Amino acid sequence: MKPYLLRLKPNQDIKLELLKYAQERNIKTASIVSAVGSVSSMKVRIADGRTIVSDTHNREVLSLSGTLINGKIHTHIGAISTRMDVFGGHLMEGCIVHTTMEITLLDLSEDVQAERIFDSETGYDELNVIDI
C-alpha cells in the first residue's frame, strides 16, 4: 500500500483531477481515505441512478469517499453550506473546487486486484475483487 496526498486548486473538477492523478501514477486500485476543502459548485447523481442535481453555493466538504478501479471511479461527496444544509450524492463531473481540496488516496494496487463488471441485478458496473 502506498499513500498519496494531493491538493486541488480553485476551479479544478474533483472527479476529473482524481482520475487524471491516478492515471499519471498508474494507480489501478485505490481508496479515498480523506478529503477536506471547499467547492463552489456541485453536480451529483442520486440513488435512482438517473437524476442529476446541481448546486452553486459555496460549501465545505464534509466527506468524500469511494474507490478508483482501473480508471473508473465510484465516489460519494457531501458538503454543507453557510445555511447549514447538506448536499451530496454520487460524485459527477462538475464538482468544482472553491479554495482548496486536500485528498488522501491509498494505493492498494500491490495488494488488491479489482475490476468493475456489469451486474444485471443492479444495472451497474460493480466492484469485483480478484483473489491473488
Side-chain angles (χ1 to χ4, degrees):
M1 286 187 267
K2 181 176 181 179
Y4 289 92
L5 184 61
L6 66 141
R7 176 181 175 238
L8 303 183
K9 296 179 179 179
N11 300 311
Q12 289 186 300
D13 186 294
I14 297 169
K15 183 175 182 177
L16 294 177
E17 293 301 324
L18 280 171
L19 290 169
K20 179 180 163 186
Y21 190 88
Q23 180 182 26
E24 289 172 349
R25 286 154 186 80
N26 199 32
I27 299 170
K28 300 293 184 197
T29 305
S31 176
I32 299 170
V33 177
S34 69
V36 294
S38 61
V39 290
S40 58
S41 63
M42 292 176 65
K43 187 180 282 188
V44 299
R45 191 189 76 222
I46 61 172
D48 69 6
R50 295 179 307 276
T51 305
I52 306 282
V53 184
S54 297
D55 179 75
T56 56
H57 291 95
N58 289 340
R59 294 179 179 270
E60 289 290 325
V61 172
L62 299 172
S63 66
L64 182 71
S65 62
T67 56
L68 290 104
I69 308 292
N70 297 321
K72 295 182 180 181
I73 191 169
H74 182 198
T75 303
H76 292 185
I77 187 169
I80 192 166
S81 74
T82 57
R83 298 183 315 265
M84 304 305 286
D85 64 303
V86 177
F87 182 84
H90 183 90
L91 180 76
M92 303 295 289
E93 290 180 26
C95 289
I96 307 300
V97 175
H98 177 55
T99 56
T100 192
M101 182 66 58
E102 300 170 5
I103 301 171
T104 305
L105 290 177
L106 185 58
D107 182 356
L108 305 169
S109 302
E110 291 182 15
D111 302 304
V112 178
Q113 287 186 350
E115 62 186 352
R116 292 209 172 274
I117 58 173
F118 183 76
D119 182 324
S120 60
E121 186 176 348
T122 66
Y124 293 102
D125 290 341
E126 300 288 6
L127 178 67
N128 180 49
V129 178
I130 303 165
D131 291 329
I132 54 175

